[in-house]
């Protein structure tokens, strides 16, 4: 790897990020065509079902692509999906070298794209900025490898770790800029998940305002089907879908009414904390949900944390102290019995968010109790 290789791949990664929220469940991909040390074409995957990044980059390069190097953040596809194989376009354009950040685990590709290029005499190098590429496409990679969506847990709390006062007042702990960022994330995920307690307490809409590139399904965990027909969720079901997970023995008449109003009600064969979370994620994976945002309440967040099903955290910390023995914290459940069992963050950052602070953390391997936090 040369410094130039890394520089050009970094540019491709920046381009790939532009597709977030538009291309899922496809991966984020960026590509640049380089000739004699100069970028002569660039592109990114812009929308699901549309041309891939390589096609945009090759078209922009035109005849300059012949004899040039193609830098791409993911192994080029070699199968007929919604678009023709990128390997065909690369060979036709006369690219003389391909540099890919990582191979694609999707079964229809999975090394086959690289093999085809090599068979036709095009050298392929794999692994330039692979860690950055893996992080960029963490949701896609999880969906392909596990069949489950990537889980982002989000909450806002005071400096002393309260999400509401002892009387239940919680609007607003976070400031305007933090709420804007939260809505931005809502606008690029496939689902927003809360428990029925949050719905009954807050009557939320769970929509992105202003709208983003995606319209998230509102996912409610409601064992007894207590979701009111008069709730804002049900009243806006034509604007954004509502999926309610419930126990098999939930009231049949309540289910009939909710379904008549336009909600989808889906029984889980098991409602225990560990079993239910796994079944829910399996079902969402079957629906090709790439990202879901878990917003609460505390017991729901506790269930996801205890079962180690959180991939990323977004925590907004407000410069206020609420206090109170009975004031609610963000993560409920049984909790860790010892500090050794606590969920530690392996990779995290802190950034200002208006008057608040935003802590972002990727978990993954951090779910193991022995992981150490770093800044």
């Amino acid at each position: 790897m040369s410094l130039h290789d890394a520089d050009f791949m970094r540019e491709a990664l920046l381009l790939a990020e532009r597709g977030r929220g538009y291309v899922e469940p496809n991966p984020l991909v960026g590509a640049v065509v380089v000739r004699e040390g100069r970028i002569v074409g660039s592109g990114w995957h812009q929308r699901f079902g549309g041309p891939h990044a390589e096609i945009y980059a090759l078209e922009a390069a035109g005849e300059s692509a012949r004899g040039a190097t193609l830098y791409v953040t993911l192994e080029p596809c070699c199968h007929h999906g919604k678009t023709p194989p990128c390997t065909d376009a690369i060979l036709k354009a006369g690219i003389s070298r391909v540099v890919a950040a990582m191979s694609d685990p999707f079964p229809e590709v999975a090394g086959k794209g690289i093999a085809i290029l090599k068979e036709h005499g095009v050298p392929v190098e794999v692994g330039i900025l692979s860690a950055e590429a893996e992080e960029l496409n963490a949701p896609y990679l999880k969906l392909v490898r596990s069949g489950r969506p990537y889980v982002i847990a989000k909450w806002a709390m005071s400096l002393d770790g309260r999400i509401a006062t002892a009387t239940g007042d919680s609007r607003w702990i976070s400031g305007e800029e933090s709420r804007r960022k939260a809505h931005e994330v809502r606008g690029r995920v496939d689902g927003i998940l809360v428990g029925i307690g949050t719905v009954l307490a807050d009557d939320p809409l769970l929509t992105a305002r202003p709208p983003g590139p995606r319209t998230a399904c509102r996912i409610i965990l409601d064992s007894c089907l207590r979701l009111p027909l008069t709730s804002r969720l049900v009243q806006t079901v034509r604007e954004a879908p509502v999926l309610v997970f419930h126990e098999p023995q939930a009231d049949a008449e309540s289910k009939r009414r909710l379904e008549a109003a336009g909600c989808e009600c889906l029984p889980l064969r098991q409602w225990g904390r560990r079993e239910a979370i796994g079944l829910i994620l399996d079902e969402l994976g079957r629906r090709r949900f790439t990202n879901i945002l878990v917003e609460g309440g505390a017991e729901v967040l506790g269930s996801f944390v205890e079962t180690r099903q959180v991939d990323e955290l977004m925590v907004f910390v407000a410069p206020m102290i609420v206090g109170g023995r009975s004031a609610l914290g963000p993560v409920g459940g049984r909790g860790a019995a010892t500090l050794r069992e606590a969920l530690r963050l392996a990779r995290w950052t802190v950034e200002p968010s208006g008057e608040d602070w935003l802590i972002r953390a990727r978990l993954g391997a951090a779910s193991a109790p022995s992981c150490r936090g770093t800044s």
Side-chain angles (χ1 to χ4, degrees):
M1 180 186 74
S2 70
L3 290 177
H4 291 304
D5 283 342
D7 290 338
F8 292 131
M9 187 61 74
R10 195 166 287 110
E11 178 65 24
L13 289 165
L14 289 172
L15 288 168
E17 179 63 39
R18 297 186 187 184
R20 193 175 298 280
Y22 295 91
V23 306
E24 293 85 351
N26 281 358
L28 307 175
V29 183
V32 296
V33 178
V34 176
R35 186 183 181 91
E36 297 177 352
R38 184 172 63 89
I39 294 176
V40 294
S42 62
W44 69 95
H45 187 28
Q46 298 181 13
R47 63 178 179 83
F48 179 73
H52 291 184
E54 299 94 318
I55 305 305
Y56 283 117
L58 292 171
E59 287 180 351
E63 283 301 313
S64 296
R66 192 160 300 279
T69 297
L70 173 69
Y71 293 84
V72 61
T73 58
L74 190 68
E75 175 184 2
C77 72
C78 56
H79 66 293
H80 282 273
K82 293 185 178 297
T83 60
C86 288
T87 49
D88 288 357
I90 292 168
L91 294 171
K92 183 178 180 181
I95 289 290
S96 65
R97 175 176 174 245
V98 172
V99 180
M102 61 178 292
S103 59
D104 187 347
F106 186 64
E108 295 294 326
V109 185
K112 301 182 185 74
I114 294 169
I116 287 172
L117 293 172
K118 288 182 175 180
E119 287 169 6
H120 285 80
V122 179
V124 181
E125 297 177 39
V126 183
I128 306 298
L129 300 188
S130 59
E132 290 86 340
E134 288 257 358
E135 184 162 326
L136 173 82
N137 267 316
Y140 165 77
L141 296 173
K142 183 184 178 186
L143 182 60
V144 170
R145 291 167 175 166
S146 72
R148 290 178 171 181
Y150 186 83
V151 177
I152 305 167
K154 188 272 292 181
W155 66 80
M157 67 182 187
S158 62
L159 191 60
D160 58 335
R162 305 299 203 274
I163 61 172
T165 67
T167 63
D169 184 23
S170 62
R171 296 188 178 180
W172 296 101
I173 286 180
S174 58
E176 185 176 335
E177 175 64 12
S178 296
R179 295 197 297 276
R180 184 194 67 77
K181 289 180 179 178
H183 278 277
E184 188 176 86
V185 174
R186 281 183 175 184
R188 62 171 178 79
V189 298
D190 294 309
I192 301 168
L193 186 150
V194 299
I196 186 61
T198 295
V199 175
L200 296 176
D202 299 337
D203 192 21
L205 270 173
L206 302 181
T207 55
R209 301 183 294 279
R214 306 184 83 75
T215 299
C217 176
R218 283 89 58 86
I219 305 163
I220 315 302
L221 307 191
D222 183 8
S223 60
C224 299
L225 290 178
R226 293 185 292 157
L227 179 62
L229 294 175
T230 56
S231 66
R232 296 202 292 172
L233 287 169
V234 177
Q235 294 298 308
T236 59
V237 71
R238 307 301 175 189
E239 301 167 23
V242 174
L243 172 61
V244 185
F245 286 101
H246 62 88
E247 287 186 307
Q249 61 268 32
D251 182 65
E253 180 60 20
S254 296
K255 179 172 183 175
R256 186 193 67 77
R257 289 175 179 172
L258 285 170
E259 290 180 334
C263 300
E264 180 182 2
C265 299
L266 193 65
L268 294 178
R269 65 178 184 271
Q270 293 176 297
W271 196 258
R273 176 170 296 180
R274 184 171 297 275
E275 297 83 7
I277 298 301
L279 291 172
I280 289 166
L281 292 177
D282 287 341
E283 175 60 29
L284 297 179
R286 280 190 289 272
R287 297 174 184 231
R288 307 307 292 166
F289 281 32
T290 306
N291 300 273
I292 66 165
L293 182 64
V294 179
E295 293 202 3
E299 291 306 309
V300 170
L301 284 164
S303 295
F304 275 86
V305 169
E306 285 183 7
T307 55
R308 297 303 196 254
Q309 294 298 338
V310 176
D311 299 293
E312 182 176 337
L313 292 178
M314 284 187 68
V315 181
F316 296 96
V317 182
M320 66 173 72
I321 295 177
V322 172
R325 293 187 182 89
S326 58
L328 194 62
V331 181
R334 295 184 298 271
T338 67
L339 290 180
R340 182 175 176 80
E341 298 172 4
L343 180 64
R344 296 185 180 272
L345 310 182
R347 295 172 294 161
W348 53 274
T349 61
V350 181
E351 62 188 70
S353 178
E355 62 191 39
D356 307 322
W357 291 94
L358 170 58
I359 300 173
R360 295 181 186 267
R362 294 286 183 100
L363 280 76
S367 61
S370 60
C371 288
R372 299 291 299 238
T374 59
S375 60

